[in-house]
Amino acid sequence: MDMTLKKAEDVNTAAVVTTGLIGGWITARETGIRPLGGVLLGAAGVWAARSWAVKKGPVTATALTSLYVGAFGASHPLAKKMGSWPAVLTVTGATAAAAYLASDRG
């Protein structure tokens, strides 16, 4: 079994942040173990930040990482206004779009 990491330049970070935000939320919700969702959220964030730093440099990596963390934080008060699913989908869509536009598109 080959355990070689994919090159940072080849990672689709929009998909990674989608996995982190939606997957982290679903994991926490369905297991009842919030820290477990946080592990997935954090791992996806680190994976995406690694790619952003290599592809676009530290300024873009910092901006997108801040957006990713901010999206997680914003989803909580937003959920009180619109519900959990709509809030998570909204912040995920915005973050994934930013990742695509700033880093992934060719």
Side-chain angles (χ1 to χ4, degrees):
M1 175 160 69
D2 183 17
M3 296 292 286
T4 305
L5 293 177
K6 190 175 197 178
K7 290 182 182 179
E9 299 87 353
D10 297 333
V11 173
N12 177 337
T13 63
V16 173
V17 300
T18 298
T19 299
L21 290 166
I22 293 177
W25 177 72
I26 289 173
T27 300
R29 179 179 169 174
E30 295 304 314
T31 65
I33 304 169
R34 292 179 67 135
L36 188 57
V39 168
L40 181 55
L41 177 81
V46 168
W47 186 252
R50 167 190 173 259
S51 292
W52 295 327
V54 170
K55 290 199 250 185
K56 297 297 180 176
V59 173
T60 299
T62 300
L64 289 172
T65 300
S66 297
L67 177 62
Y68 180 73
V69 172
F72 167 71
S75 69
H76 292 82
L78 196 56
K80 291 178 181 178
K81 295 181 187 268
M82 63 179 6
S84 296
W85 265 116
V88 171
L89 293 175
T90 298
V91 300
T92 299
T95 306
Y100 174 77
L101 292 171
S103 178
D104 296 339
R105 71 177 161 169

